[in-house]
Amino acid sequence: MALTATNLIIVFFLLTSPAYAKVGEVSFQSQQAQISRGSDKILTEVGTSVEMNDKIETLNGIVKIVFIDDTKVTVSEYSTLVIDEFVYDGSTKKGKVNLKASLGTLRYTSGLIAKNSKEDVKITTPTASVAVRGTDFEVKVKETGESTFTLLPSIDSNGNSYTGIIEVFNATGSVVLTQAFQVTAVTSIFTPPTPPSVDTARRNQAIRKEQRSADDDAKDEEIDNKKEEELLEEALIITEESETESIFIIEDDKATFISDSDNKVKLVVPSVSDVTLKYDNKGAITEGTLNAGGNVTINIIQQ
């Protein structure tokens, strides 16, 4: 038992020591945000580290943060996020996350920690908390503290869409959101979350977007099929032409026509030419075709 307690103390020390202070980093920003870390004020750049107890504040730009367990949080314009707690063990892929959304709009995408237990991840606002397990959601917090939570569809590692579950609660009650674009609002710490309702406008917008994407994919496939048919048709034409009798000699990208030894007529054209040649030699007509493009027709009559 003493050994186990010692090990726990060592693990705690490692996880909270400065060498392990980084819990994530800024992966994208449209404009710089400010991180308050103790008495320091840090302007963000892509790659800026974030640590436990950091306070991230945006102005008229957004910042995306990727945590070390692949949790992703987008902090929208004029919003504030506080990292109250973030502990993660990469070997077991377990840990604990507590984030505070105190103002503005945040979008949360679950990482590895949230796949174990909903008790491992909690996001709080001034009026409510949300427990998460493997899903996406959005929270909007007004200056009054009123909070609105929206459950969003998620995408798995194979690109498939699915919808997880979140529980929104405070001291007066709780609700569970299970359908994409379900919404609940909490006006104060003294009122329970409202019954879930679906944001039909947002859901229909997502359906239209998905349909446009499917139509674009179908159109691209149709274009690809048409191009393939054209290539096959062109290959068939080339094959048929190559099987016809020709009086041209193709060499070094040149097509050469040579008459009989009596007339000494020689014609050299690029091999990509479209040539129809008629040669009248003492009443005998010989025709040669080289059809590869260029639309050239040549008639030679020699007595």
Side-chain angles (χ1 to χ4, degrees), residues 107 131 249:
R107 173 164 181 155
I249 299 172

Side-chain angles (χ1 to χ4, degrees), residues 20-27 35 37 45-52 54 56 64-72 83 86 88:
Y20 290 83
K22 178 179 176 179
V23 298
E25 66 179 33
V26 175
S27 63
I35 296 177
R37 183 176 298 157
E45 301 287 350
V46 173
T48 297
S49 298
V50 295
E51 301 178 4
M52 200 157 61
D54 277 358
I56 299 102
K64 294 183 179 180
I65 299 170
V66 177
F67 291 88
I68 56 178
D69 76 319
D70 205 35
T71 293
K72 299 178 181 68
I83 305 171
F86 195 102
Y88 177 65

Side-chain angles (χ1 to χ4, degrees), residues 125-129 140-149 168-174 184-194:
T125 74
T127 55
S129 298
K140 294 184 178 182
V141 183
K142 296 182 179 180
E143 292 183 352
T144 59
E146 180 180 345
S147 308
T148 303
F149 301 86
V168 179
F169 59 93
N170 63 13
T172 62
S174 68
T184 184
V186 187
T187 56
S188 76
I189 58 174
F190 305 108
T191 57
T194 60

Side-chain angles (χ1 to χ4, degrees), residues 84-99:
D84 278 341
E85 183 179 17
F86 195 102
V87 179
Y88 177 65
D89 184 346
S91 61
T92 62
K93 295 182 172 46
K94 293 182 179 180
K96 193 170 185 180
V97 179
N98 284 323
L99 305 177

Side-chain angles (χ1 to χ4, degrees), residues 11-245:
V11 169
F12 179 81
F13 174 77
L14 290 175
L15 290 174
T16 56
S17 65
Y20 290 83
K22 178 179 176 179
V23 298
E25 66 179 33
V26 175
S27 63
F28 169 84
Q29 63 179 31
S30 61
Q31 288 197 31
Q32 287 184 313
Q34 178 179 273
I35 296 177
S36 298
R37 183 176 298 157
S39 59
D40 296 331
K41 304 294 182 183
I42 303 165
L43 292 179
T44 61
E45 301 287 350
V46 173
T48 297
S49 298
V50 295
E51 301 178 4
M52 200 157 61
N53 297 319
D54 277 358
K55 180 180 181 181
I56 299 102
E57 298 172 280
T58 61
L59 291 175
N60 57 340
I62 67 171
V63 170
K64 294 183 179 180
I65 299 170
V66 177
F67 291 88
I68 56 178
D69 76 319
D70 205 35
T71 293
K72 299 178 181 68
V73 177
T74 299
V75 188
S76 297
E77 297 90 345
Y78 303 101
S79 301
T80 303
L81 170 70
V82 177
I83 305 171
D84 278 341
E85 183 179 17
F86 195 102
V87 179
Y88 177 65
D89 184 346
S91 61
T92 62
K93 295 182 172 46
K94 293 182 179 180
K96 193 170 185 180
V97 179
N98 284 323
L99 305 177
K100 182 183 295 180
S102 55
L103 180 66
T105 302
L106 306 175
R107 173 164 181 155
Y108 172 94
T109 300
S110 294
L112 296 174
I113 294 175
K115 297 183 185 303
N116 294 310
S117 171
K118 69 178 183 179
E119 285 78 21
D120 293 334
V121 178
K122 186 169 73 172
I123 290 85
T124 62
T125 74
T127 55
S129 298
V130 54
V132 184
R133 183 167 184 176
T135 192
D136 292 26
F137 76 93
E138 178 186 85
V139 56
K140 294 184 178 182
V141 183
K142 296 182 179 180
E143 292 183 352
T144 59
E146 180 180 345
S147 308
T148 303
F149 301 86
T150 305
L151 180 61
L152 300 174
S154 304
I155 304 296
D156 65 18
S157 58
N158 296 319
N160 300 315
S161 179
Y162 71 96
T163 302
I165 298 173
I166 63 173
E167 181 184 4
V168 179
F169 59 93
N170 63 13
T172 62
S174 68
V175 298
V176 176
L177 307 185
T178 60
Q179 299 179 38
F181 303 108
Q182 270 191 329
V183 180
T184 184
V186 187
T187 56
S188 76
I189 58 174
F190 305 108
T191 57
T194 60
S197 61
V198 176
D199 186 338
T200 54
R202 193 166 180 180
R203 182 189 61 185
N204 292 339
Q205 182 181 16
I207 292 173
R208 286 193 297 269
K209 183 178 179 181
E210 186 175 347
Q211 184 60 51
R212 284 196 300 270
S213 178
D215 291 343
D216 290 342
D217 290 343
K219 188 178 296 183
D220 290 342
E221 184 176 357
E222 182 180 351
I223 292 172
D224 290 341
N225 290 337
K226 187 175 181 180
K227 287 181 178 178
E228 185 175 353
E229 290 174 0
E230 290 173 351
L231 289 173
L232 289 173
E233 184 178 353
E234 183 177 347
L236 180 61
I237 292 173
I238 293 172
T239 301
E240 290 175 347
E241 289 174 351
S242 65
E243 293 174 351
T244 61
E245 185 177 353

